[in-house]
Amino acid sequence: MRVEVAYKSSSLDGRARRLLPGMREAWPEASSLRIVDVYLLDIGRELPPDVAAEVFADPVAQEVSVDGSLLAGDPDPDALIEVTSRPGVADPVAATARQAIEARLGAALPPESVVQTAVQYVLAAGGRGAEAGRLERIASSLHNPLIQQAVVLSGDDWRAGARFPPLYPHRVAGSMAEVETFAIDSFDDRALEELSRDRLLALGIEELRAIKAHFSSEEIRREREAAGLGRLTDVEIEMLAQTWSEHCKHKIFSATITYRENGRSETIRSLFATYIRRTTEELAARKPFLRSVFKDNAGVVEFDAGHLLCFKAETHNSPSALDPYGGAITGIVGVNRDILGTGKGAKPIFNTDVLCFGFPETPDAIEGHLHPARVLAGVHRGIVDGGNQSGIPVVAGAFVFDESFVGKPLVFCGTGGLLPSEVLGEPGWTKRVEAGDLAVMVGGRIGKDGIHGATFSSLALDEASPTSAVQIGDPIVQRRMSDFLLEARDLGLFKGINDNGAGGLSSSLGEMAQLSNGVRIELDRCPLKYAGLAPWEILVSESQERMSLAVAPDRIGELLALASRRDVEATQVGVFTDSGRIEVLHGGKLVGMIRLSFLHGGLPAMRLDAEWSGPRRVRLQAVPGAARPSGGLAGTLLALLADPSIASKEPLVRQFDHEVIGQSVVKPFVGERSDGPSDGAVLRPLPESVRGVTVTHGICPGYGAIDTYHMAMCAVDEAYRAHIALGGDPDWACALDNFCWPDPVESARTPDGRFKLAQLVRACRGLREACLAYGLPLVSGKDSMKNDTVLAGRTVSIKPTLLVSLMGMIPDVRSAITSDFKRPGDRVYLLGETRGEMGATSFERTGGASGDDCPRVRPDEALAVYRAFHAARRLVASCHDLSEGGLAVALAESALAGRLGAEIDLEALARASAFDRGQPSAEERLLFCETPSRLLVTVPASDAGPFERFFAGLPAAPIGTVVEGARLSIRRGDARLIDLSIEEIEAAWKAPLGKG
Amino acid sequence: MVVRACVIGGYGINADCELRDAFAMAGSEAARVHVQDLLDRPSEIDRYHILAFPGGFSFGDHLGSGRVLAALFKRHLKEALDRFVSSGRLVIGVCNGFQVLVKMGILPNLRGGWTPEVSLIHNDTGLFEDSWVRLSFNRASPCLWTRGLAEAELPIRHGEGRFIVGSEEIMRRMEESGLVALRYEGRNPNGSLGAVAGITDPSGRILGLMPHPEAFLRPEQHPRWARERFEEGQGLALFRNGVEAVRRNL
């Protein structure tokens, strides 16, 4: 049966009001839109109409029709479009609808019953039909053909009696249930490579040879024969491919690299060990708050005597390129699970989202790819739905726009969590898994969604990319599971916990098995969404909302009982052993057996070459559609404020719940009208304590156009100086490194691989140097190394990008500092030296001559200023860190936030900063250069003297005064440089994303 | 006496911990109780004096905000809840909790019998919004929760907060009896009829509101705390009123 529900009048439907203007761009005659929610039921019985109405419709606001049409009696529509999910794609609304029907009937529906949902868009255009192509354009804006289908009916179709189907296809094609085997010992290199390509394994020839050698060895053969197992099975090769994927094993970061520069050559054994882990190890002695780093799903640090914090960020780039909405949701709920699976299980308390897109105004996208505006809209809506429904606030993040992200967007999702220092007498950051413990899968069921996600993200995106790699997370199912897991944790019902992410069960249980030294998995026990999954698919599927637990046999009854009371599916799927092996059974037969030592240690190290021959300068392009600025320096400032990377993101960010759970102290927006940008977040995670957490970011892919070494140092500095600007403790902070790189392995497809790898080496060096100088231990990280798009033979590679996410401590949240000017009469200072670097800065996008000086960090000098600022912080009224667009943009933002003006004179600063003559001019450099490590600070006039005493011998230039009357005027001596009203600043800064 | 507040949780409710903290700060003993535990044993609520429905996305708001949870409560707890309220106990619903109360029909319940008379639908912008709003309280309202309050600033965080009524008659009767307990001042963020932000029932014991009083318990939760002085969070008084009303009347 078909149940249709709609608002009684379209004037009540805010969604229709939001969508209609976009549709009218495609079809100007369209005058009204009605949105109908459709439920399609095949449940073995009829629901009486009044029962259907009760379940599906709001009697005050909506009307409902059962097996008829809501449109009866209305004038005929001029177009109808109905959108529904493709078979096998998760549909959270349908799942709730089923639950609601069952609750109303007081009985479970038969297992074969079908509940589907669709959304119908009904357009009227005064009786005029749409010209050819218009409805298709609207339909394509309403659905993503990868995961959805749309049916279009014209007004004429409708009048001729055409209707939408009573049910859409829902069956998923089954796979072979048989296990396939391979005579790998007889495979030559070509056959090996074919195997990898045909099955999308993304294994390199060295790895394939290692697998062949292992399974051909006499010892392994005998072992397998004894166990009744013959040739290598598909279960095994798939398990190895997922575990050995770039995504899971970070092969490039573990590779042995020969790095050449100026004729000198150096061997680096593992970038990770050399530059990242070693940095943290060297800092560990003076950072007593470190608890668990690089080992678990997230880094763990001590917050106070009773609590630990953990933090993790991941990327979800490839899925977001294909399905921006589902990709973003899955990114969020995926990293939330990392936190849930950290230590004994932590509670997520904040999310971060750092997003890199091509410019929304890009004139045309690449054939076969979603336009950047569409990607932005989809990712944004995914965060709105995924983040808000999860009940975890999005507290900080960034939107970065660059032409190189047009093929693949970067979607960095981070989550922080809180867990008790001790859970029932054991340290909260530890896990235990022992032989004899039961392996339990909790949460959603397994389907064909998300097969090959881990290997897929290790391949370049092209037309042949598998759609099964796309999944849609359900934040509500996950929320139910999270609540249950935290309750079970506090009751001591499980000993070990891990998330099911990339690689599914093969990866989660494979990792946990290292603690007990073995696991036996029974695939027949795994709950499936539908029949027809091959054994290997069950093992590697990445279906969402699943966690794995190790449960002592004497607690299993209690655990399962609680799960059932909390409406969460929990199933024992195996048992942990100490056999040294991972064993997989199907139909009572052994179908896979791999030694853990080989699974986790058999991967041969890659050998790679890197060569640095100096910068290959790439100029930053102008923002598409932006006019070249006129009107002198003021015009340049307005153009910078309108650069989408700098402009206000308020219309987008206001749609994120950034306050739920009530911990926010410094929110994304600050100031008189709460519309000024903050430098980051301050949270108070425990109501009983004033101790706070800062969350900040550093990301500056533009600078990599000159040198990724400086880019990395600047990213660290940006995150650290924002922490300082907020009032954070200089000695208490930790960070995550997330690298997103174009493929740095030389090949026919990537002829410049050596250069890209050299860029990676240099970024790692910059990261290490800055972190050591600032005492910033790296506690977790992740990399995504294949961010290239191949379409129509052309490779589009992203700019090398490093995101530094910082989590710090502020001893008392009541002394946190915000960026808005506070009172007329306050003195304005610029802390830190201005050196005038303009190369690859935002200024370059305005078309000005910018030169090739990339902003550089001098960490020792910077740290002296940061420490002095921290000591003086109680005298400070406002502080804003300088980033894109330099001093002028920071002044404009602080003035706007405070709705106060400022009179600024740069003469003293100009004298302190000796610039070369010529282009760019000294004034341009003073106003717009992006020298890092600088803070814009205001101080009440009465405190100016004491404040200055903290900066004896340090660069702290008095540059003006905050004034009543909302004008920002900047001069140099007698020369007026900029004179703008706050209204002009606001108009420019809020224009680009003003439509939301 | 010890005033006990029951704050429900589970199924996508997500602002339960801070609501529990609010009741604790207001001097009551507050517990989080899973919805399923109440559905299994409705008499469980008799142990409490206050029943609180927090914000969140119960059942994902998939069939309309608050509707599935409302249906469950109406089916399993109507009798227990009627008894609860008629014995002088208090109920509050914030945001999703307000949506649940309205969709159950227990608010405003002019005619008795829990027939839905008003609703909360998609914001007129069609968008979810998190921002702080100015509110004024109706001094003529019988609402026990808002007694003595004049104005406050609190955050809204919702996509479906537009207040509508089934008929003009319902609005007229609500206005006459002072059942509109609070309104948006200045900007009306969601297109609510009469700028209604929260309503009570004729007994004054049940309050539903879209803004989040539990999100402003401490001064530094306000977005302008670094510019202005706040003695305490402006949401706290509402919870004190509720706890006080229980002490006075029970």
Side-chain angles (χ1 to χ4, degrees):
Chain A
M1 61 194 287
R2 170 179 270 263
V3 182
E4 296 187 351
V5 179
Y7 281 114
K8 287 176 179 168
S9 140
S10 57
S11 68
L12 291 176
D13 196 343
R15 297 168 305 170
R17 220 170 111 171
R18 171 167 61 87
L19 286 174
L20 184 59
M23 295 185 181
R24 293 181 60 156
E25 281 175 25
W27 187 19
E29 287 80 21
S31 55
S32 78
L33 166 67
R34 189 153 199 224
I35 299 179
V36 181
D37 292 309
V38 182
Y39 303 91
L40 302 163
L41 313 178
D42 181 5
I43 56 173
R45 62 193 286 180
E46 290 297 305
L47 286 187
D50 59 319
V51 174
E54 187 189 321
V55 172
F56 293 110
D58 175 343
V60 176
Q62 293 175 317
E63 55 189 356
V64 60
S65 105
V66 178
D67 287 332
S69 168
L70 277 175
L71 304 171
D74 288 356
D76 279 344
D78 296 305
L80 303 95
I81 300 165
E82 193 164 286
V83 175
T84 189
S85 299
R86 287 193 181 279
V89 173
D91 181 349
V93 181
T96 304
R98 177 186 281 264
Q99 233 179 334
I101 298 168
E102 290 179 340
R104 174 61 182 79
L105 298 176
L109 294 178
E112 67 279 8
S113 51
V114 181
V115 179
Q116 294 179 327
T117 69
V119 181
Q120 198 183 99
Y121 302 86
V122 183
L123 284 153
R128 274 163 301 189
E131 291 154 40
R134 291 187 186 274
L135 294 186
E136 288 65 28
R137 256 179 75 196
I138 293 176
S140 85
S141 75
L142 291 171
H143 82 293
N144 181 347
L146 266 187
I147 51 162
Q148 294 167 311
Q149 55 181 324
V151 178
V152 178
L153 296 181
S154 69
D156 288 342
D157 296 337
W158 181 260
R159 279 181 287 278
R163 295 294 180 265
F164 294 108
L167 211 60
Y168 288 94
H170 57 88
R171 282 189 212 291
V172 180
S175 315
M176 296 235 311
E178 292 297 303
V179 173
E180 211 181 325
T181 62
F182 310 96
I184 196 165
D185 46 353
S186 67
F187 279 24
D188 59 10
D189 281 1
R190 238 187 67 199
L192 288 171
E193 281 180 322
E194 238 164 63
L195 175 68
S196 174
R197 197 173 48 244
D198 292 351
R199 296 195 69 102
L200 282 172
L201 301 178
L203 289 168
I205 190 63
E206 298 288 341
E207 293 150 9
L208 291 158
R209 285 184 195 141
I211 293 170
K212 175 181 167 180
H214 179 77
F215 284 90
S216 310
S217 77
E218 200 44 46
E219 189 190 348
I220 296 296
R221 280 179 178 212
R222 266 205 307 272
E223 189 177 288
R224 294 173 71 81
E225 261 167 43
L229 201 59
R231 304 195 296 193
L232 176 74
T233 66
D234 56 0
V235 172
E236 292 167 327
I237 190 78
E238 290 284 349
M239 191 164 32
L240 282 162
Q242 299 306 310
T243 309
W244 287 8
S245 65
E246 180 57 52
H247 185 93
C248 294
K249 276 284 184 236
H250 312 287
K251 294 186 271 204
I252 293 171
F253 265 81
S254 316
T256 298
I257 295 174
T258 307
Y259 176 84
R260 291 188 187 80
E261 181 181 344
N262 292 329
R264 283 212 315 271
S265 152
E266 183 187 340
T267 303
I268 301 158
R269 285 184 219 293
S270 169
L271 289 171
F272 171 69
T274 310
Y275 297 113
I276 295 172
R277 196 176 59 209
R278 186 153 66 99
T279 302
T280 303
E281 285 166 358
E282 285 172 23
L283 289 170
R286 51 192 176 102
K287 300 292 162 185
F289 53 84
L290 297 179
R291 283 295 168 273
S292 162
V293 292
F294 303 122
K295 284 198 282 264
D296 208 335
N297 289 323
V300 185
V301 293
E302 183 183 82
F303 178 61
D304 69 10
H307 301 86
L308 306 167
L309 286 172
C310 54
F311 194 15
K312 168 69 171 274
E314 289 216 310
T315 50
H316 226 233
N317 308 336
S318 297
S320 303
L322 293 174
D323 174 26
Y325 176 75
I329 294 188
T330 310
I332 295 172
V333 295
V335 72
N336 290 167
R337 279 198 304 277
D338 273 313
I339 295 303
L340 264 177
T342 295
K344 301 263 181 244
K347 179 183 183 180
I349 60 167
F350 65 84
N351 281 334
T352 61
D353 291 297
V354 175
L355 311 170
C356 302
F357 299 114
F359 288 103
E361 305 294 330
T362 302
D364 29 46
I366 315 168
E367 180 72 24
H369 252 218
L370 295 175
H371 188 275
R374 182 89 186 265
V375 176
L376 165 61
V379 168
H380 176 258
R381 203 162 54 84
I383 296 171
V384 170
D385 285 358
N388 293 356
Q389 291 184 20
S390 301
I392 302 162
V394 176
V395 301
F399 290 75
V400 178
F401 296 92
D402 183 278
E403 50 278 6
S404 73
F405 301 123
V406 76
K408 223 180 197 186
L410 304 184
V411 176
F412 297 92
C413 297
T415 301
L418 191 67
L419 75 160
S421 300
E422 227 181 73
V423 177
L424 303 172
E426 290 186 26
W429 66 87
T430 58
K431 315 185 182 311
R432 249 181 336 124
V433 180
E434 285 154 319
D437 289 344
L438 306 177
V440 174
M441 186 181 105
V442 178
R445 298 183 147 228
I446 302 176
K448 282 173 178 274
D449 40 349
I451 301 241
H452 279 155
T455 50
F456 157 61
S457 70
S458 309
L459 296 166
L461 202 55
D462 61 27
E463 291 90 341
S465 298
T467 58
S468 65
V470 174
Q471 317 140 66
I472 300 181
D474 182 342
I476 293 302
V477 171
Q478 180 150 316
R479 175 80 199 193
R480 221 157 53 203
M481 176 178 73
S482 312
D483 289 349
F484 157 70
L485 287 171
L486 294 173
E487 200 176 343
R489 174 195 76 185
D490 294 338
L491 294 167
L493 299 185
F494 59 82
K495 292 160 71 177
I497 182 167
N498 199 6
D499 72 300
N500 277 258
L505 282 179
S506 95
S507 148
S508 70
L509 295 179
E511 283 169 21
M512 292 172 87
Q514 290 178 284
L515 297 178
S516 68
N517 198 28
V519 67
R520 191 162 61 242
I521 306 170
E522 294 175 59
L523 296 178
D524 306 284
R525 287 174 166 268
C526 297
L528 307 180
K529 291 184 181 176
Y530 34 77
L533 267 73
W536 69 267
E537 290 178 314
I538 300 173
L539 191 62
V540 304
S541 163
E542 296 171 11
S543 287
Q544 291 290 298
E545 294 92 37
R546 291 184 297 142
M547 300 287 289
S548 292
L549 303 178
V551 180
D554 62 341
R555 305 308 293 269
I556 185 75
E558 234 178 307
L559 180 102
L560 297 180
L562 181 66
S564 141
R565 267 171 55 215
R566 296 297 173 246
D567 212 352
V568 173
E569 191 157 359
T571 315
Q572 189 209 329
V573 298
V575 61
F576 292 97
T577 65
D578 52 8
S579 66
R581 300 186 198 100
I582 178 162
E583 295 158 298
V584 184
L585 287 92
H586 185 252
K589 258 180 55 193
L590 195 63
V591 293
M593 181 173 82
I594 305 180
R595 287 188 180 182
L596 282 175
S597 56
F598 183 68
L599 184 67
H600 291 292
L603 176 67
M606 286 174 102
R607 299 192 148 271
L608 298 172
D609 287 310
E611 189 161 357
W612 177 253
S613 46
R616 292 186 192 170
R617 181 75 154 99
V618 185
R619 298 247 156 231
L620 305 189
Q621 292 171 18
V623 175
R628 196 166 165 143
S630 57
L633 297 167
T636 304
L637 173 55
L638 293 175
L640 283 166
L641 290 169
D643 178 329
S645 297
I646 295 175
S648 172
K649 315 300 183 300
E650 189 174 356
L652 298 170
V653 174
R654 284 273 171 220
Q655 295 177 49
F656 302 157
D657 191 331
H658 49 263
E659 297 183 272
V660 63
I661 74 174
Q663 301 180 347
S664 72
V665 173
V666 176
K667 303 178 202 287
F669 301 103
V670 296
E672 186 59 26
R673 297 184 195 167
S674 300
D675 60 355
S678 64
D679 289 335
V682 176
L683 310 174
R684 178 177 174 171
L686 305 166
E688 65 271 20
S689 159
V690 295
R691 200 173 168 88
V693 179
T694 62
V695 184
T696 64
H697 292 102
I699 183 168
C700 31
Y703 302 163
I706 297 181
D707 193 345
T708 51
Y709 172 78
H710 295 303
M711 172 189 92
M713 290 192 74
C714 284
V716 175
D717 184 69
E718 184 181 4
Y720 189 73
R721 76 175 175 261
H723 163 69
I724 296 294
L726 290 165
D729 181 343
D731 292 313
W732 204 114
C734 61
L736 312 176
D737 58 283
N738 284 81
F739 288 84
C740 284
W741 232 250
D743 188 356
V745 179
E746 192 179 47
S747 68
R749 208 178 228 184
T750 311
D752 55 351
R754 288 176 187 225
F755 175 73
K756 286 171 172 164
L757 189 62
Q759 288 184 307
L760 183 64
V761 172
R762 296 180 68 79
C764 287
R765 288 178 174 173
L767 174 68
R768 170 173 160 79
E769 187 173 332
C771 286
L772 276 183
Y774 291 151
L776 190 61
L778 297 162
V779 295
S780 181
K782 200 93 195 191
D783 55 89
S784 162
M785 304 303 291
K786 308 274 174 173
N787 291 288
D788 311 274
T789 320
V790 186
L791 282 154
R794 196 167 76 95
T795 301
V796 181
S797 296
I798 63 153
K799 283 200 174 84
T801 302
L802 167 65
L803 170 67
V804 176
S805 307
L806 179 146
M807 180 171 73
M809 192 270 288
I810 176 167
D812 183 341
V813 294
R814 294 166 301 184
S815 62
I817 301 162
T818 59
S819 63
D820 45 318
F821 286 159
K822 298 293 187 308
R823 279 171 300 270
D826 286 357
R827 298 288 167 77
V828 184
Y829 292 87
L830 179 63
L831 308 183
E833 201 164 319
T834 299
R835 293 198 170 83
E837 305 100 318
M838 302 285 266
T841 64
S842 299
F843 178 79
E844 194 164 293
R845 291 201 191 277
T846 66
S850 50
D852 289 327
D853 280 349
C854 165
R856 283 174 185 226
V857 183
R858 274 85 171 166
D860 296 339
E861 292 173 29
L863 195 56
V865 172
Y866 294 157
R867 288 194 178 281
F869 172 80
H870 188 70
R873 69 189 185 280
R874 293 193 191 280
L875 303 174
V876 166
S878 77
C879 178
H880 190 17
D881 86 311
L882 269 62
S883 55
E884 292 103 322
L887 175 61
V889 165
L891 282 165
E893 289 176 344
S894 289
L896 170 97
R899 289 300 189 289
L900 288 167
E903 280 173 8
I904 304 295
D905 187 347
L906 300 181
E907 186 53 38
L909 193 63
R911 270 188 267 114
S913 335
F915 298 135
D916 295 339
R917 288 168 177 280
Q919 296 293 329
S921 70
E923 286 75 19
E924 284 174 328
R925 290 181 192 266
L926 287 168
L927 290 165
F928 308 121
C929 84
E930 294 179 8
T931 309
S933 317
R934 295 182 299 161
L935 301 171
L936 177 69
V937 176
T938 62
V939 178
S942 54
D943 292 326
F947 178 78
E948 288 179 15
R949 278 197 283 283
F950 282 97
F951 291 88
L954 293 171
I959 57 170
T961 311
V962 176
V963 296
E964 201 85 65
R967 284 198 89 75
L968 173 63
S969 36
I970 307 176
R971 63 200 158 84
R972 178 180 178 183
D974 294 335
R976 273 202 175 290
L977 306 181
I978 288 175
D979 184 33
L980 287 169
S981 70
I982 300 299
E983 288 71 29
E984 289 168 291
I985 289 168
E986 182 177 359
W989 190 62
K990 291 188 175 178
L993 300 164
K995 293 181 296 237
Chain B
M1 76 179 268
V2 178
V3 177
R4 284 188 299 274
C6 168
V7 179
I8 64 164
Y11 289 113
I13 290 169
N14 62 33
D16 43 343
C17 290
E18 59 266 44
L19 191 54
R20 177 201 55 196
D21 294 345
F23 279 106
M25 276 177 85
S28 67
E29 229 173 56
R32 278 164 74 210
V33 179
H34 198 281
V35 169
Q36 195 58 50
D37 294 344
L38 283 189
L39 297 179
D40 289 348
R41 275 191 303 153
S43 61
E44 185 75 6
I45 61 169
D46 297 336
R47 298 177 46 210
Y48 299 94
H49 306 102
I50 293 172
L51 181 61
F53 292 78
F57 283 83
S58 55
F59 295 91
D61 284 353
H62 286 149
L63 307 184
S65 59
R67 290 196 60 252
V68 177
L69 187 56
L72 284 175
F73 262 88
K74 198 164 179 172
R75 199 171 166 74
H76 296 280
L77 277 147
K78 183 163 183 297
E79 222 174 279
L81 257 178
D82 272 333
R83 205 172 52 234
F84 187 84
V85 177
S86 60
S87 68
R89 297 165 197 235
L90 269 60
V91 176
I92 188 169
V94 178
C95 195
N96 195 234
F98 182 22
Q99 292 160 342
V100 171
L101 296 179
V102 155
K103 293 177 191 194
M104 280 199 278
I106 198 172
L107 263 184
N109 205 17
L110 294 169
R111 289 168 289 196
W114 293 30
T115 306
E117 293 159 329
V118 306
S119 193
L120 293 157
I121 61 171
H122 284 100
N123 295 352
D124 61 350
T125 56
L127 300 172
F128 183 99
E129 180 178 328
D130 176 342
S131 60
W132 284 61
V133 292
R134 284 196 298 125
L135 301 160
S136 65
F137 294 93
N138 179 1
R139 286 167 192 275
S141 173
C143 183
L144 298 172
W145 293 93
T146 58
R147 187 170 285 179
L149 304 185
E151 50 194 28
E153 270 187 276
L154 296 174
I156 53 153
R157 307 192 306 251
H158 63 248
E160 297 182 40
R162 181 178 174 190
F163 178 81
I164 60 162
V165 293
S167 71
E168 283 173 24
E169 169 67 11
I170 289 166
M171 191 65 182
R172 195 182 54 74
R173 284 181 55 190
M174 286 184 65
E175 293 281 15
E176 271 174 15
S177 333
L179 302 193
V180 174
L182 58 149
R183 295 175 204 271
Y184 302 108
E185 275 300 310
R187 194 171 79 93
N188 179 343
N190 49 29
S192 284
L193 179 70
V196 171
I199 62 173
T200 188
D201 76 322
S203 76
R205 294 180 195 133
I206 307 177
L207 171 67
L209 71 170
M210 288 313 297
H212 288 269
E214 81 288 1
F216 192 17
L217 304 174
R218 299 176 290 274
E220 82 277 357
Q221 288 174 312
H222 190 279
R224 292 193 311 279
W225 69 268
R227 304 179 68 80
E228 292 168 31
R229 221 183 121 60
F230 297 93
E231 291 301 325
E232 63 169 30
Q234 294 172 351
L236 194 52
L238 199 136
F239 298 103
R240 280 206 205 100
N241 270 344
V243 174
E244 195 43 47
V246 169
R247 276 212 188 98
R248 221 175 27 242
N249 299 331
L250 285 176

